[in-house]
Amino acid sequence: MDRDVIIHQGAGIAALAKRLAGLRSSADARIVGLTGSVAAGKTTLARDVADALNPPLSVETVSTDGFLFTNAVLEPQGLLMRKGFPETFDRDGFTNALVSIRQGAAAFPAHSHDIYDIDPALTRTVQLPDMLILEGLGFQPPTRPERPDGEPDVLVYLDASEADLEYWYVERFVGFWNAARTDASSFYAQWLHMSETELRAFAKTVWDGVNLPNLRDHIHPLKAHADIVVHKARDHTVEIAEDRIS
């Protein structure tokens, strides 16, 4: 990556980290929700912001993927290939975890990309940090003006063009597929018989048939309700595009 791009990207992350730190100090905004499309880079952005804040703040990042229902629940309902849609999330578990961590600690389950399911071995108990960044899907429009304990204090939306999101999704799919060559237990091993050209075409059909409709119908509408909108470009540089917090 070009040095100027790295500097610009770092500036955008630093600006977001500074804004969130200010909200933590002035409004006691302890839990930050970070959402956006599949493959937008939410996990990476959450980690980078946490690194920029820690220290002096103690920051934990958790993925909402852990609140997806298990495959054993989704498959009989025909929802396995709709993971990420609102109906595939355990809303009660999500809400209860946020209520619990505000009281001191909570157990957060985790979803494994390798087995494409909830992996009980990955569950971790998180003690209440100075800031918790909860990244992923499954969010709902925030309650206004005062938010209950089961909602994030701040909602950040990571925005990008549909063309870039599709590109990143296909590249990520190919990455998991390549990794499956040395891991027969990987969910992506079932497509190892395909050529890379065939796989890319298949990944695009998944994007077009599953992730793009979810983006347009359920994820992108949250942009209008977000407190902060961050735009991400193809070269992965980020900047605060809108700040709606007075």
Side-chain angles (χ1 to χ4, degrees), residues 193-224:
H193 66 282
M194 291 183 174
S195 68
E196 183 170 330
T197 299
E198 291 171 331
L199 184 84
R200 287 180 177 276
F202 173 71
K204 187 180 185 309
T205 65
V206 176
W207 172 261
D208 290 340
V210 179
N211 294 298
L212 184 57
N214 193 23
L215 170 62
R216 291 175 174 174
D217 295 343
H218 304 293
I219 303 170
H220 189 264
L222 286 170
K223 178 181 175 181

Side-chain angles (χ1 to χ4, degrees), residues 30-115:
R30 190 180 290 266
I31 298 180
V32 176
L34 171 60
T35 194
S37 174
V38 169
K42 299 179 293 296
T43 301
T44 300
L45 180 59
R47 183 191 64 229
D48 288 345
V49 170
D51 288 345
L53 289 169
N54 190 358
L57 298 181
S58 62
V59 184
E60 294 281 354
T61 64
V62 176
S63 173
T64 63
D65 287 357
F67 296 105
L68 288 163
F69 287 113
T70 63
N71 291 357
V73 171
L74 296 175
E75 193 163 14
Q77 301 179 62
L79 296 175
L80 193 58
M81 293 306 294
R82 287 177 63 85
K83 281 191 180 184
F85 281 71
E87 64 270 24
T88 63
F89 281 92
D90 178 3
R91 292 295 314 170
D92 289 340
F94 179 97
T95 299
N96 291 338
L98 294 195
V99 171
S100 295
I101 198 167
R102 290 186 193 276
Q103 297 171 351
F108 285 88
H111 183 274
S112 167
H113 281 293
D114 290 335
I115 64 172

Side-chain angles (χ1 to χ4, degrees), residues 8 14 22-23 63 77 79 109 127 130 142 154 176 199 203 208 213 231:
H8 187 194
L23 292 172
S63 173
Q77 301 179 62
L79 296 175
Q127 304 294 323
D130 292 325
V154 178
F176 286 136
L199 184 84
D208 290 340
H231 180 74

